[in-house]
């Protein structure tokens, strides 16, 4: 079966290059985690970005220096921080992810409002798909698109630390599983729908044979009709 992976990145939205990437977290259905903080990040550039300073940097192995008025004036990596071991250069992060995603075919990638996350992942290879390993996912499934398609206006609340890349990646897994569960509940499968089409035909012809009495060719005709209708319409159980 296709491996499914879940990605989240923290970044400076004003810088799409590698120095704009702050941290990256990815996990999968087996709980295989990878978390890295970009040693090549331009920390000084985010001093004026209040959201990053207040909500993202507290979860990273950095120290924010402030003046007497409390205004951030400098940001340094903190070697004494327990997560400092996750600080590594962008080229090393790319090599780690090469090994993480390695497979005969690229795994499925899931992200939440994930356009920037996918771009940040690809930026580790300068967004050059000809240089990027073939098993690095080129596209992703967006959790918000899934929610919109299912008419879900509110996802389960995140219980872990928001704006920590790995915690958010794990939450993406939880949200994806929640939505997949709804999909399975709401959408009828081909076999069940074929049987329903046949049952409906008995409403107009009560003398018709039951499903079990149909020939293989007759059942297959119902299955083909079911497949065509399911492909055309949003048919739910």
């Amino acid at each position: 079966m296709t491996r499914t992976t879940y990605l989240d990145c923290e970044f400076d939205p004003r810088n799409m290059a590698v120095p704009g990437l702050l941290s990256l977290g990815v996990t999968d259905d087996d709980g295989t985690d990878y978390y890295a903080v970009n040693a090549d990040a331009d920390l000084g550039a985010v001093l004026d970005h209040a959201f990053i300073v207040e909500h993202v940097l507290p979860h990273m192995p950095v120290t924010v220096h402030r003046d007497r008025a409390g205004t951030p004036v400098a940001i340094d990596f903190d070697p004494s921080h327990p997560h400092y071991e996750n600080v590594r250069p962008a080229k090393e992060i790319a090599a780690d992810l090469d090994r993480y995603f390695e497979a005969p075919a690229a795994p499925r990638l899931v992200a939440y409002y994930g356009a920037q996350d996918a771009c940040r992942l690809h930026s580790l290879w300068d967004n050059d798909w000809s240089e990027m390993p073939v098993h690095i996912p080129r596209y992703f499934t967006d959790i918000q698109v899934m929610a919109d398609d299912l008419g879900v206006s509110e996802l389960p609340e995140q219980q872990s630390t928001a704006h920590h890349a790995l915690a958010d990646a794990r939450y993406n897994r939880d949200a994806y599983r929640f939505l997949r569960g709804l999909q399975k509940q709401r959408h009828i499968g081909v076999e069940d729908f074929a049987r329903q089409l046949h049952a409906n035909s008995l409403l107009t012809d009560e003398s018709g044979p039951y499903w079990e009495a149909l020939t293989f060719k007759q059942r297959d005709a119902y299955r083909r009709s079911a497949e065509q209708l399911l492909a055309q319409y949003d048919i739910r159980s």
Side-chain angles (χ1 to χ4, degrees), residues 24-194:
L24 179 150
V26 63
T27 190
D28 64 9
D29 286 322
D30 292 329
T32 305
D33 296 335
Y34 177 77
Y35 174 65
V37 175
N38 183 16
D40 298 319
D42 187 353
L43 296 179
V46 301
L47 280 168
D48 64 342
H49 198 296
F51 183 89
I52 292 175
V53 172
E54 299 302 325
H55 297 282
V56 176
L57 297 186
H59 310 306
M60 293 176 56
V62 300
T63 298
V64 179
H65 303 280
R66 301 175 184 267
D67 62 18
R68 291 184 178 181
T71 303
V73 294
I75 304 170
D76 295 319
F77 284 110
D78 180 4
S80 67
H81 193 284
H83 292 165
Y84 183 75
E85 64 182 12
N86 300 111
V87 178
R88 56 202 65 190
K91 287 187 177 180
E92 188 175 328
I93 296 173
D96 290 344
L97 291 171
D98 186 356
R99 290 187 289 271
Y100 183 90
F101 286 110
E102 188 172 8
R108 177 182 291 110
L109 186 70
V110 176
Y112 187 23
Y113 287 100
Q116 284 249 29
D117 299 283
C119 286
R120 302 295 171 165
L121 172 64
H122 294 173
S123 73
L124 294 167
W125 292 271
D126 296 322
N127 292 299
D128 186 345
W129 286 13
S130 66
E131 296 295 327
M132 194 164 63
V134 295
H135 43 263
I136 302 299
R138 264 60 174 173
Y139 61 92
F140 67 97
T141 297
D142 197 299
I143 290 169
Q144 187 57 49
V145 172
M146 291 179 66
D148 288 347
D149 288 346
L150 288 166
V152 175
S153 59
E154 189 172 341
L155 292 169
E157 184 178 352
Q158 182 172 348
Q159 301 299 319
S160 58
T161 303
H163 308 301
H164 181 290
L166 183 56
D168 286 354
R170 290 170 175 167
Y171 171 74
N172 291 348
R173 179 178 58 205
D174 295 340
Y176 179 76
R177 288 175 174 173
F178 168 76
L179 293 172
R180 285 288 291 154
L182 291 181
Q183 283 180 330
K184 291 177 181 178
Q185 291 173 19
R186 297 185 183 184
H187 289 274
I188 190 168
V190 170
E191 186 70 16
D192 288 339
F193 190 34

